[in-house]
């Protein structure tokens, strides 16, 4: 057999093996067709020569909303990147006003899928939206693909899907809705679109001068606070400040210099994290993902900062984009992906200031789980630190901000439970934080924990902070962390008392006294320089 023939046989063998390894797709319509017979008011009808499901709309979302539990379908794709494929047709559908804001129209979300994550806090209810066609009817059958990932340790006993007629009138026909193994890696396509190249076996590279073995422990602070505020921060023992909310094309650089002078005097490292143009838009994501003008302002702002700070060391690193929240795997309707925008920004910065360290984050807030290899790729530049924000469980850290999913009179940290029997304690926090390791071990990434905090009125908040600091300090790939935050929202402000109920009027600590959270943080900041 000649070499060409042998190569062909080898290729066919690889393809055959891959085909055997790929799980068979599961159709929620046809493989579970008997289950729909019991699901009123969804009905089977004939449409274009095929038997399909029909859901009718209505003023409050319609009666066409039905759930189907099928954990066995999800189980076969455990640990995999998957696609949910919807084949549908709309007929005379009209959007209805949002029940939250009557001035807005409710997004059209024909399908959802859900299961519980292993952190024992959240169920994954993913609700992708689809653009409603003008006139409310599609021209023939439409096919939409949505990405997701079923993690290796997800809890799938209650996994299932829903079909929704989330519109005011008309009908939704579903020919098929299935789950299948993704045919390619979504993030590889994003990297290619950005014009970037990540070589096989790529490892992050860091300059020796920045890896001095020291942990830097600090705080987040808005750039426009008074110089005396930054003097106070220095007095607390911080040796790092993540400076936020500066607008490079609008704000006062002379005013900024006065704040930087204080930090330089105290040898405090500055991670400069300015505001992204356009801010958060619809669905709590940046408007920049669909705005040419905001994208250009974003890139121009970074070019201006790179030029302004070139050769200076009073700003150590540039933090490119705070908590993108585009949605893991992006959104098919967005013009730009966050990874692409960050890559463009780093490219422009390094063209001007090639030695400037960079801090970059993953999508959806940069939690440890957002760094799973399905969701993130490294930026192929030297001296890029990857930023984590650690708020787990949110029921504790964001009590009152993101609902009230626990009772602080009956539950406290450690020992509290949210979903399932697993208690939240230091071991649980460590397990959640360790999700970063998949990305770190493959690429050799180093970390900056750019935010972490806990609601001041929650029992056990000080212990939670102490556990987090100890976890970060014990991690040999974490170089820096910053408490969130100085002088902002009272719930996370260390200068406010802890006994005030969340609903009550917040009170600052009496002069000369410190709350338990402040004592914990000062004890850890005191480790700087040792």
């Amino acid at each position: 057999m000649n070499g060409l023939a042998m190569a062909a046989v080898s290729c066919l063998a690889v393809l055959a093996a891959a085909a055997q390894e790929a799980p068979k797709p599961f159709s929620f319509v046809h493989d579970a067709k008997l289950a729909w017979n019991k699901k009123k008011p969804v009905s089977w009808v004939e449409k274009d020569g095929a038997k399909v499901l029909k859901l009718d709309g209505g003023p409050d979302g319609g009666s066409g909303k039905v759930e189907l539990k099928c954990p066995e379908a999800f189980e076969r794709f455990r640990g995999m990147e998957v696609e949910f494929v919807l084949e549908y047709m709309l007929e005379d559908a009209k959007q209805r006003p949002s029940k939250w804001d009557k001035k807005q129209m409710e997004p059209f979300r024909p399908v959802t899928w859900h299961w519980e994550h292993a952190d024992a806090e959240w169920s994954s209810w993913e609700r992708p939206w689809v653009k409603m066609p003008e006139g409310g009817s599609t021209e023939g059958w439409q096919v939409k693909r949505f990405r997701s990932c079923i993690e290796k340790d997800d809890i799938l006993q209650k996994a299932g899907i829903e079909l929704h007629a989330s519109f005011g009138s008309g009908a939704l026909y579903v020919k098929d809705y299935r789950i299948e193994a993704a045919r390619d890696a979504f993030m590889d396509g994003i990297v290619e679109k950005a014009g970037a190249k990540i070589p096989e076996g790529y490892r992050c590279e860091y300059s020796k001068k920045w890896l001095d073995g020291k942990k830097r422990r600090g705080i987040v602070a808005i750039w426009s606070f008074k110089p005396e505020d930054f003097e106070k921060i220095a007095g607390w023992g911080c040796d790092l400040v993540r400076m936020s909310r500066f607008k490079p094309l609008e704000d006062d650089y002379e005013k900024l210099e006065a704040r930087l002078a204080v930090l330089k005097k105290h040898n405090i490292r500055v991670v400069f994290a300015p505001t992204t143009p356009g801010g958060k838009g619809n669905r709590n994501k940046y408007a920049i993902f669909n705005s040419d003008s905001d994208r250009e302002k974003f890139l121009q702002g970074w070019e201006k900062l790179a030029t302004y700070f070139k050769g200076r060391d009073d700003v150590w690193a540039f933090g490119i984009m705070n908590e993108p929240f585009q949605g893991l795997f992006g959104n098919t309707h967005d013009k730009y992906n966050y990874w692409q925008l960050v890559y463009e920004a780093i490219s422009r910065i390094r063209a001007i200031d090639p030695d400037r360290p960079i801090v970059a984050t993953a999508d959806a807030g940069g939690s440890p789980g957002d760094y799973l290899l399905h969701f993130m790729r490294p930026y192929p530049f030297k001296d890029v630190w990857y930023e984590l924000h650690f708020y787990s469980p949110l029921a504790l850290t964001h009590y009152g901000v993101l609902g009230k999913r626990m009772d602080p009179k009956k539950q406290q940290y450690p020992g509290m439970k949210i979903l399932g029997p697993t208690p939240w304690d230091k071991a649980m926090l460590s397990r959640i934080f360790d999700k970063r390791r998949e990305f770190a071990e493959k690429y050799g990434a180093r970390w900056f924990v750019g935010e972490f905090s806990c609601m001041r009125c929650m029992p056990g908040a000080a212990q939670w902070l102490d556990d987090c600091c100890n976890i970060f300090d014990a991690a040999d790939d974490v170089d820096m962390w910053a408490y969130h935050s100085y002088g902002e929202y009272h719930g996370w402000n260390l200068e406010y008392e802890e006994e005030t109920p969340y609903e009550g009027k917040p009170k600052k600590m009496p002069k000369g006294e410190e709350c338990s959270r402040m004592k914990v943080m000062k004890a850890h900041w005191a480790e700087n320089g040792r």
Side-chain angles (χ1 to χ4, degrees), residues 416-428:
M416 56 182 286
K417 298 176 183 179
I418 304 173
L419 285 178
T422 309
W424 279 88
D425 53 19
K426 186 178 180 182
M428 172 68 97

Side-chain angles (χ1 to χ4, degrees), residues 181-220:
R183 293 169 293 180
D184 53 19
F186 176 83
M187 285 305 302
D188 288 345
I190 296 299
V191 171
E192 183 178 353
K193 181 180 178 181
K197 292 183 179 180
I198 303 174
E200 187 71 26
Y202 176 81
R203 300 287 291 175
C204 299
E205 186 180 356
Y206 297 92
S207 300
K208 289 184 179 180
K209 64 180 178 179
W210 303 129
L211 298 181
D212 54 11
K214 294 180 180 178
K215 295 277 185 181
R216 285 175 170 79
R217 307 165 181 87
I219 198 165
V220 181

Side-chain angles (χ1 to χ4, degrees), residues 349-393:
I349 291 167
R350 290 293 176 80
I352 298 167
D353 190 354
D355 298 323
R356 179 68 59 189
I358 298 294
V359 169
T361 187
D363 189 9
S367 71
D370 299 336
Y371 282 93
L372 294 179
L373 297 179
H374 299 290
F375 303 144
M376 182 60 171
R377 294 291 181 272
Y379 295 98
F381 300 91
K382 188 176 181 179
D383 292 330
V384 176
W385 271 258
Y386 292 86
E387 183 176 353
L388 288 170
H389 289 183
F390 196 71
Y391 295 105
S392 292

Side-chain angles (χ1 to χ4, degrees), residues 111-129:
V111 293
T112 67
W113 55 90
H114 60 87
W115 60 85
E116 292 178 8
H117 289 306
D119 62 6
E121 180 180 12
W122 289 106
S123 293
S124 177
W125 279 89
E126 299 194 51
R127 302 175 174 89
W129 63 280

Side-chain angles (χ1 to χ4, degrees), residues 461-494:
Q463 183 63 56
W464 184 91
L465 290 173
D466 189 47
D467 286 348
C468 285
C469 291
N470 287 325
I471 290 169
F472 305 154
D473 282 349
D476 58 8
D477 56 351
V478 174
D479 295 317
M480 305 161 281
W481 53 253
Y483 175 84
H484 186 274
S485 61
Y486 175 86
E488 296 187 57
Y489 169 58
H490 66 81
W492 297 312
N493 192 320
L494 295 171

Side-chain angles (χ1 to χ4, degrees), residues 227-238:
E228 48 264 41
D229 289 308
F230 291 100
E231 289 282 3
K232 183 191 290 186
I233 287 171
W236 287 352
C238 298

Side-chain angles (χ1 to χ4, degrees), residues 21 23 71-82 115-118 149-159 179-181 374:
E21 292 173 6
E72 70 283 356
F74 291 81
E75 187 63 51
R76 68 174 68 171
F77 299 98
R78 182 180 289 278
M80 298 181 65
E81 191 171 328
V82 297
W115 60 85
E116 292 178 8
H117 289 306
C149 170
I150 302 175
E151 297 181 30
K152 294 176 183 178
D153 57 355
D154 279 343
I155 302 168
L156 302 179
Q157 287 91 330
K158 299 179 182 179
I179 180 175
E180 58 187 38
H374 299 290

Side-chain angles (χ1 to χ4, degrees), residues 1-19:
M1 185 180 294
N2 62 35
L4 184 61
M6 290 180 66
V9 170
S10 176
C11 182
L12 288 172
V14 170
L15 290 173

